[in-house]
Amino acid sequence: MGSEFFRQPTKRLDREFRALGGRRLDRSPGGTRYIFPDGGVQYVPADVMPGRARAILVSVQERYATRDIRPKDDPLRSAMKRDGAPDINADTIAMSRHANDRFELMATQARLDRREIGDALRFPEQVLWSPTHESWMWVRGRVIVAVAETDQGINVIRTIMWATSDLWEQNPRPERSGGV
């Protein structure tokens, strides 16, 4: 679930709860209570430790997130449907070095075109949340574009992936195929 749990577990839980439809009911020096649309209430102690924060998050996700059951080799296996995806526009998006490297590799391997990335972000077939990668996943055609939102409101394309296990098999990363 990422190193953020070790740094700021209450902040991470706050963001996750809001994305799952929760809102702060009240806050005190001892902790915060959240209420969810079905009336359920979850308390988070102010001094919650990372392990307990993970357990709380898993419990809340099990109750409020809709998850698809996907095969182990499915690139979207950790993804779930939920509200709260950020709006994407050209003024608030950047591409990480890793994402750029992945694009270059995928373009070389299978002629991936930048239009496919843009189309996935503008006209996605689906938008899912990946708690494993802590990012939103815009899916269209052959690609998954993973985007994370910064605290400054900038959307960063963290990586680009093939959308199916067949495409991964046909176009493996060099380090996984013995080097290319």
Side-chain angles (χ1 to χ4, degrees), residues 159-180:
T159 194
I160 302 164
M161 300 176 274
W162 295 117
T164 67
S165 54
D166 288 341
L167 283 166
W168 277 103
E169 286 179 28
Q170 295 167 19
N171 305 290
R173 291 182 183 170
E175 62 271 29
R176 294 186 183 180
S177 66
V180 169

Side-chain angles (χ1 to χ4, degrees), residues 41 58 87 96 122 135 138 141 146 172:
V41 175
V58 167
D87 291 327
S96 72
R122 285 191 311 274
S135 59
W138 274 259

Side-chain angles (χ1 to χ4, degrees), residues 54-123:
R54 280 191 186 105
I56 291 170
L57 179 58
V58 167
S59 170
V60 170
Q61 284 177 331
E62 286 174 356
R63 182 170 179 173
Y64 297 107
T66 20
R67 248 184 224 268
D68 292 331
I69 305 301
R70 299 175 188 265
K72 187 176 180 179
D73 64 347
D74 187 330
L76 295 171
R77 71 185 164 276
S78 70
M80 63 178 68
K81 295 177 185 176
R82 80 174 202 196
D83 295 330
D87 291 327
I88 299 291
N89 69 54
D91 297 330
T92 62
I93 192 144
M95 187 178 252
S96 72
R97 180 179 300 227
H98 172 76
N100 194 55
D101 291 346
R102 287 288 301 139
F103 171 77
E104 295 297 328
L105 175 64
M106 293 165 78
T108 302
Q109 289 177 323
R111 295 190 172 153
L112 182 67
D113 187 285
R114 289 204 184 267
R115 280 181 297 189
E116 288 181 75
I117 307 306
D119 286 351
L121 294 171
R122 285 191 311 274
F123 313 111

